[in-house]
Amino acid sequence: MSSLKTDRIYQGNCVEVLDSLPAASVDVIFADPPYNLQLGGELLRPNNSRVDGVDDDWDRFQGFADYDDFTKGWLTACRRVLKDTGTLWVIGSYHNIFRVGTVLQDLGFWVLNDVVWRKTNPMPNFRGTRFTNAHETLLWCSTGPEARYTFNYEAMKALNDGLQMRSDWSLPLCTGPERLKDEAGRKLHPTQKPESLLHRVILASSNPGDVVLDPFLGSGTSAAVAKRLCRRWIGIEQDPDYVAAARARIQAVRSVDDPALCATPRKRAEPRIPFGTVVERGLLAPGTVLSDASGRWSARVRADGTLISADHRGSIHQVGAAVQGAPACNGWTFWHMRVEGDQTLVPIDLLRQRLRAEMTGGGTGESEAAGEALQ
Amino acid sequence: MSSLKTDRIYQGNCVEVLDSLPAASVDVIFADPPYNLQLGGELLRPNNSRVDGVDDDWDRFQGFADYDDFTKGWLTACRRVLKDTGTLWVIGSYHNIFRVGTVLQDLGFWVLNDVVWRKTNPMPNFRGTRFTNAHETLLWCSTGPEARYTFNYEAMKALNDGLQMRSDWSLPLCTGPERLKDEAGRKLHPTQKPESLLHRVILASSNPGDVVLDPFLGSGTSAAVAKRLCRRWIGIEQDPDYVAAARARIQAVRSVDDPALCATPRKRAEPRIPFGTVVERGLLAPGTVLSDASGRWSARVRADGTLISADHRGSIHQVGAAVQGAPACNGWTFWHMRVEGDQTLVPIDLLRQRLRAEMTGGGTGESEAAGEALQ
DNA sequence: TACTGACTTGAATCGTAAC
DNA sequence: GGTTACGATTCAAGTCAGT
């Protein structure tokens, strides 16, 4: 059996590359396969601008049977390289996710959760013909009903401010500076996923040093996040342009300097923001040093949204209380960060306020949000 | 062909009952089928206990294959009784929804949306082994890619405080007084759905007087809500105890006294008014100059109800599109006229509203007043 | 510098009555 | 049944120019 080479992109057909890798050598597979969209003609917005739909060659299939064969092929190859203790994630929409789920189950994979990525800023339905398609679905599977697997329950609970992480995740689309652009300033890849999504996926189901494989690497989001979180990674991608862009992107990523920070603790009226969300959304990098206003105590940020100080570990509130020897502490106002190019310390509550502003800015499109706005 | 009898529960096997009903007679089907592997004896072979199976792979395959057959059976029967313009809803979880979705698509149903029911109060995952399973999935399908169907867009938008209704719905579980109890105070049915969920389903996809059928009626939620919303209804249920409980429950429901309160009028359904009628009726004199809201473009009204601008001639829509160089244009809202004794520009749509108010007799008073103000 | 407003964009299965 | 023409339809974020 050959040894596995990690931290590299293989250019080529994913089944062929997978078949060339040693069996049972990968801990987590994250797959974002073509969705088999079946778009009609062009679609115009009410302002007559054209919607840039996905019409790439890689998303053309003859029909469901063709797509099922394709799915069976790459899932079978994935199963071989996956350790018995490994897990598999697949993301998709209603166009393909039922096909994928059925094939998965037929191949013996065991669904642990279906997770809903609830988009905070989806594209509307311009013609008023259906419900706004505002989510995508991730399937998370083990290799069988009896298989052991990695689930960092405490990390997920901490990331959700002490409440169990649910099967629905509200996260924004990948836009702004995070979105890779080509020389002409157009989006490089039509379906680039947000890093916050992969942050949660990888943190939940792997440990530092584990191997994360992506058979449809695309713009390289999964590998970039895996590298930052001190996991080993393997990407497979057919398109040379995507490979080149992903290589450059991943190259620029710095791993969190201490892997321990990447492994694995409420207010009422206002929407509660877990501190983990601040980290996940990239407003504060794991490893960042926080201190209190006087600079007497300090602690470092971990990827799951907990803090670690010289003697204590836990939520921003727990560590804040512990270092002071106090019974309780509001970590949001106790802990401060240093502003770039400035010596002043500002409370991390500013970051929470920024996220709250986003949430309440225009409503989330659900009546629940409307209810909150009334309070 | 026999005529359809509505507003009643049929006790029996759902496929047999469905096969006894006339074809193409139902507008909406809502189905809450068994969630796989916990089915009655007729679906699992007696010697194939899932837990103690001799061969896991074989057992699992048999389990899914049987479930797929079961699904194919009732969905085929549903397709026959459903009108071509009808739609089908199925609710499920990750245990069965991929099987259902695949069978649906293979039978030619066309998925319009997958809707996520996000539970505001889900049961936690007590063992901390997975994400809290906090949602269920509904599939909404038409009978084919070209089929027309009912979607009350405006009603859904109104229900969501003026924003398009999204594909994720946050609603609480059925608890409290709404939950049916037996004599001993235990819950009568293990999976009773909340009425709020059915309210949204039925309001979205049917009109007063339409026939709503539920092949797995259970505690009768769908029929109860259908009756309240002035729809006709049909329920099919095998278990005599559930039938009795559902009959009593539905009997106690009072329909909304005015069916008009259970429908939101569609803009598309309003009577079409040719622009020529506006001229013909003297609401706008030939030769009148119209302009867009900004005053950038202008055109003159001809006696035949067409417009003529410097370079273009045709309908209000055609000239509006042509002057802008746009692919399409709604002339009613694009073109404006000057109000006498005032410098403000108002859209000519006001004139159409005035004619429509005349046609419907009383009108709302609002549009009539608006029309009078123009004189 | 901060704010405003116009413009752009995102995995999209996106119309239908009348002739 | 095919063709024509009406005329209905968008939310959250990010970017950028102008004040």
Side-chain angles (χ1 to χ4, degrees), chain A residues 33 45 94 123 127 129-130 179:
Chain A
R45 296 186 173 85
Y94 66 86
M123 183 159 68
R127 308 302 294 269
T129 57
R130 305 176 178 193
R179 188 94 196 202

Short mmCIF file of all heavy atoms in Angstrom, two decimals, chain A residues 33 45 94 123 127 129-130 179, chain C residues 8-15:
data_model
loop_
_atom_site.label_atom_id
_atom_site.label_comp_id
_atom_site.label_asym_id
_atom_site.label_seq_id
_atom_site.Cartn_x
_atom_site.Cartn_y
_atom_site.Cartn_z
N PRO A 33 -20.44 18.48 -5.49
CA PRO A 33 -20.50 18.02 -6.88
C PRO A 33 -21.40 18.92 -7.72
O PRO A 33 -22.14 19.74 -7.17
CB PRO A 33 -21.14 16.63 -6.74
CG PRO A 33 -22.03 16.75 -5.56
CD PRO A 33 -21.29 17.66 -4.60
N ARG A 45 -33.97 39.99 -14.37
CA ARG A 45 -34.48 40.60 -13.16
C ARG A 45 -35.55 41.63 -13.53
O ARG A 45 -35.65 42.04 -14.69
CB ARG A 45 -33.35 41.30 -12.41
CG ARG A 45 -32.28 40.35 -11.90
CD ARG A 45 -31.28 41.14 -11.05
NE ARG A 45 -30.33 40.26 -10.39
CZ ARG A 45 -29.21 39.82 -10.96
NH1 ARG A 45 -28.91 40.19 -12.19
NH2 ARG A 45 -28.40 39.03 -10.31
N TYR A 94 -32.17 20.95 -4.22
CA TYR A 94 -33.23 19.99 -4.53
C TYR A 94 -33.07 19.38 -5.92
O TYR A 94 -33.71 18.38 -6.22
CB TYR A 94 -34.61 20.63 -4.39
CG TYR A 94 -34.91 21.73 -5.38
CD1 TYR A 94 -35.43 21.42 -6.64
CD2 TYR A 94 -34.69 23.06 -5.07
CE1 TYR A 94 -35.72 22.40 -7.55
CE2 TYR A 94 -34.99 24.06 -5.97
CZ TYR A 94 -35.50 23.74 -7.21
OH TYR A 94 -35.77 24.72 -8.11
N MET A 123 -30.56 34.89 -3.47
CA MET A 123 -31.14 35.57 -4.62
C MET A 123 -32.66 35.40 -4.56
O MET A 123 -33.15 34.32 -4.29
CB MET A 123 -30.59 34.96 -5.91
CG MET A 123 -31.09 35.65 -7.14
SD MET A 123 -30.04 35.37 -8.55
CE MET A 123 -30.32 33.66 -8.83
N ARG A 127 -39.62 36.13 -10.57
CA ARG A 127 -40.90 36.10 -11.27
C ARG A 127 -42.07 35.80 -10.36
O ARG A 127 -43.19 35.71 -10.82
CB ARG A 127 -40.84 35.05 -12.39
CG ARG A 127 -39.66 35.18 -13.32
CD ARG A 127 -39.63 36.54 -13.99
NE ARG A 127 -40.75 36.74 -14.89
CZ ARG A 127 -40.73 36.44 -16.18
NH1 ARG A 127 -39.65 35.95 -16.72
NH2 ARG A 127 -41.77 36.66 -16.94
N THR A 129 -42.88 33.04 -8.83
CA THR A 129 -43.48 31.77 -9.21
C THR A 129 -43.32 30.68 -8.16
O THR A 129 -43.98 29.65 -8.25
CB THR A 129 -42.86 31.25 -10.50
OG1 THR A 129 -41.45 31.14 -10.31
CG2 THR A 129 -43.13 32.20 -11.65
N ARG A 130 -42.43 30.88 -7.22
CA ARG A 130 -42.15 29.86 -6.21
C ARG A 130 -41.70 30.56 -4.93
O ARG A 130 -41.55 31.77 -4.89
CB ARG A 130 -41.02 28.92 -6.66
CG ARG A 130 -41.27 28.27 -7.98
CD ARG A 130 -40.09 27.45 -8.39
NE ARG A 130 -40.35 26.77 -9.65
CZ ARG A 130 -39.64 25.80 -10.15
NH1 ARG A 130 -38.56 25.38 -9.49
NH2 ARG A 130 -39.94 25.24 -11.29
N ARG A 179 -14.68 36.55 -2.25
CA ARG A 179 -15.00 35.93 -3.54
C ARG A 179 -13.85 36.10 -4.52
O ARG A 179 -13.45 37.24 -4.83
CB ARG A 179 -16.25 36.58 -4.11
CG ARG A 179 -16.81 35.89 -5.35
CD ARG A 179 -17.87 34.89 -4.99
NE ARG A 179 -18.14 33.97 -6.06
CZ ARG A 179 -19.28 33.29 -6.18
NH1 ARG A 179 -20.24 33.44 -5.29
NH2 ARG A 179 -19.46 32.44 -7.16
P DT C 8 -25.32 48.68 -13.10
OP1 DT C 8 -24.53 48.80 -14.33
OP2 DT C 8 -26.79 48.50 -13.15
"O5'" DT C 8 -24.70 47.50 -12.22
"C5'" DT C 8 -23.38 47.61 -11.72
"C4'" DT C 8 -23.06 46.46 -10.81
"O4'" DT C 8 -23.76 46.62 -9.56
"C3'" DT C 8 -23.46 45.09 -11.35
"O3'" DT C 8 -22.36 44.21 -11.22
"C2'" DT C 8 -24.63 44.67 -10.44
"C1'" DT C 8 -24.31 45.40 -9.16
N1 DT C 8 -25.49 45.70 -8.30
C2 DT C 8 -25.46 45.30 -6.99
O2 DT C 8 -24.53 44.70 -6.49
N3 DT C 8 -26.58 45.64 -6.27
C4 DT C 8 -27.69 46.32 -6.73
O4 DT C 8 -28.63 46.56 -5.98
C5 DT C 8 -27.65 46.70 -8.12
C7 DT C 8 -28.82 47.44 -8.71
C6 DT C 8 -26.57 46.38 -8.82
P DT C 9 -22.40 42.83 -11.96
OP1 DT C 9 -21.00 42.53 -12.32
OP2 DT C 9 -23.45 42.85 -12.99
"O5'" DT C 9 -22.85 41.81 -10.82
"C5'" DT C 9 -22.04 41.67 -9.67
"C4'" DT C 9 -22.69 40.71 -8.71
"O4'" DT C 9 -23.75 41.37 -7.99
"C3'" DT C 9 -23.33 39.48 -9.35
"O3'" DT C 9 -23.07 38.35 -8.55
"C2'" DT C 9 -24.81 39.79 -9.31
"C1'" DT C 9 -24.88 40.52 -7.98
N1 DT C 9 -26.08 41.36 -7.77
C2 DT C 9 -26.52 41.52 -6.49
O2 DT C 9 -25.99 41.02 -5.52
N3 DT C 9 -27.64 42.32 -6.38
C4 DT C 9 -28.33 42.93 -7.41
O4 DT C 9 -29.31 43.60 -7.18
C5 DT C 9 -27.80 42.71 -8.72
C7 DT C 9 -28.48 43.34 -9.91
C6 DT C 9 -26.72 41.95 -8.83
P DG C 10 -22.42 37.10 -9.19
OP1 DG C 10 -20.96 37.29 -9.14
OP2 DG C 10 -23.08 36.79 -10.46
"O5'" DG C 10 -22.81 35.97 -8.13
"C5'" DG C 10 -22.40 36.11 -6.78
"C4'" DG C 10 -23.45 35.51 -5.88
"O4'" DG C 10 -24.56 36.42 -5.75
"C3'" DG C 10 -24.04 34.18 -6.37
"O3'" DG C 10 -24.19 33.32 -5.24
"C2'" DG C 10 -25.40 34.59 -6.94
"C1'" DG C 10 -25.78 35.75 -6.03
N9 DG C 10 -26.68 36.72 -6.64
C8 DG C 10 -26.77 37.06 -7.97
N7 DG C 10 -27.67 37.99 -8.20
C5 DG C 10 -28.19 38.28 -6.95
C6 DG C 10 -29.19 39.21 -6.56
O6 DG C 10 -29.83 39.99 -7.28
N1 DG C 10 -29.43 39.19 -5.19
C2 DG C 10 -28.78 38.37 -4.31
N2 DG C 10 -29.14 38.48 -3.03
N3 DG C 10 -27.84 37.50 -4.64
C4 DG C 10 -27.60 37.50 -5.98
P DA C 11 -23.76 31.87 -5.33
OP1 DA C 11 -24.12 31.24 -4.06
OP2 DA C 11 -22.41 31.89 -5.88
"O5'" DA C 11 -24.71 31.23 -6.43
"C5'" DA C 11 -24.52 29.89 -6.84
"C4'" DA C 11 -25.62 29.53 -7.79
"O4'" DA C 11 -25.28 28.30 -8.40
"C3'" DA C 11 -26.97 29.28 -7.13
"O3'" DA C 11 -27.98 29.43 -8.13
"C2'" DA C 11 -26.84 27.85 -6.70
"C1'" DA C 11 -26.05 27.24 -7.85
N9 DA C 11 -25.08 26.23 -7.46
C8 DA C 11 -24.37 26.14 -6.29
N7 DA C 11 -23.55 25.13 -6.25
C5 DA C 11 -23.73 24.50 -7.47
C6 DA C 11 -23.15 23.37 -8.05
N6 DA C 11 -22.22 22.63 -7.44
N1 DA C 11 -23.56 23.01 -9.28
C2 DA C 11 -24.48 23.77 -9.90
N3 DA C 11 -25.10 24.87 -9.46
C4 DA C 11 -24.67 25.18 -8.23
P DA C 12 -28.25 30.96 -8.73
OP1 DA C 12 -27.55 31.06 -9.99
OP2 DA C 12 -27.94 31.97 -7.66
"O5'" DA C 12 -29.79 31.03 -9.00
"C5'" DA C 12 -30.73 30.75 -7.99
"C4'" DA C 12 -31.94 30.06 -8.60
"O4'" DA C 12 -32.24 30.75 -9.81
"C3'" DA C 12 -31.67 28.61 -8.95
"O3'" DA C 12 -32.61 27.70 -8.36
"C2'" DA C 12 -31.67 28.56 -10.48
"C1'" DA C 12 -32.40 29.83 -10.87
N9 DA C 12 -31.81 30.41 -12.07
C8 DA C 12 -30.63 31.08 -12.17
N7 DA C 12 -30.35 31.46 -13.39
C5 DA C 12 -31.44 31.01 -14.15
C6 DA C 12 -31.74 31.09 -15.52
N6 DA C 12 -30.96 31.68 -16.42
N1 DA C 12 -32.89 30.53 -15.93
C2 DA C 12 -33.69 29.94 -15.04
N3 DA C 12 -33.50 29.80 -13.73
C4 DA C 12 -32.35 30.37 -13.35
P DT C 13 -34.20 27.71 -8.76
OP1 DT C 13 -34.58 29.11 -8.95
OP2 DT C 13 -34.93 26.83 -7.83
"O5'" DT C 13 -34.15 27.01 -10.20
"C5'" DT C 13 -35.23 27.10 -11.09
"C4'" DT C 13 -34.96 26.23 -12.26
"O4'" DT C 13 -34.70 24.91 -11.79
"C3'" DT C 13 -36.12 26.11 -13.22
"O3'" DT C 13 -36.01 27.11 -14.20
"C2'" DT C 13 -35.93 24.70 -13.83
"C1'" DT C 13 -35.02 24.03 -12.82
N1 DT C 13 -35.61 22.86 -12.15
C2 DT C 13 -36.89 22.99 -11.61
O2 DT C 13 -37.57 23.99 -11.68
N3 DT C 13 -37.35 21.84 -11.01
C4 DT C 13 -36.69 20.64 -10.88
O4 DT C 13 -37.19 19.69 -10.33
C5 DT C 13 -35.37 20.60 -11.46
C7 DT C 13 -34.54 19.40 -11.34
C6 DT C 13 -34.91 21.69 -12.05
P DC C 14 -37.24 27.78 -14.84
OP1 DC C 14 -38.09 26.62 -15.17
OP2 DC C 14 -36.85 28.74 -15.88
"O5'" DC C 14 -37.93 28.61 -13.68
"C5'" DC C 14 -39.36 28.56 -13.49
"C4'" DC C 14 -39.91 29.97 -13.43
"O4'" DC C 14 -39.36 30.67 -12.29
"C3'" DC C 14 -39.56 30.81 -14.65
"O3'" DC C 14 -40.69 31.67 -14.90
"C2'" DC C 14 -38.37 31.64 -14.17
"C1'" DC C 14 -38.72 31.85 -12.71
N1 DC C 14 -37.54 32.03 -11.82
C2 DC C 14 -37.48 33.19 -11.03
O2 DC C 14 -38.38 34.02 -11.14
N3 DC C 14 -36.44 33.35 -10.20
C4 DC C 14 -35.49 32.43 -10.13
N4 DC C 14 -34.49 32.63 -9.28
C5 DC C 14 -35.55 31.23 -10.90
C6 DC C 14 -36.57 31.08 -11.74
P DG C 15 -41.05 32.18 -16.38
OP1 DG C 15 -40.97 31.06 -17.32
OP2 DG C 15 -40.24 33.38 -16.60
"O5'" DG C 15 -42.56 32.65 -16.28
"C5'" DG C 15 -43.31 32.47 -15.08
"C4'" DG C 15 -44.74 32.89 -15.34
"O4'" DG C 15 -44.79 33.87 -16.39
"C3'" DG C 15 -45.65 31.74 -15.78
"O3'" DG C 15 -46.91 31.97 -15.19
"C2'" DG C 15 -45.67 31.88 -17.30
"C1'" DG C 15 -45.62 33.40 -17.45
N9 DG C 15 -45.04 33.88 -18.69
C8 DG C 15 -43.90 33.44 -19.30
N7 DG C 15 -43.61 34.09 -20.39
C5 DG C 15 -44.64 35.03 -20.49
C6 DG C 15 -44.88 36.02 -21.46
O6 DG C 15 -44.21 36.28 -22.46
N1 DG C 15 -46.03 36.75 -21.19
C2 DG C 15 -46.84 36.54 -20.11
N2 DG C 15 -47.91 37.33 -20.00
N3 DG C 15 -46.63 35.62 -19.20
C4 DG C 15 -45.51 34.90 -19.45
#
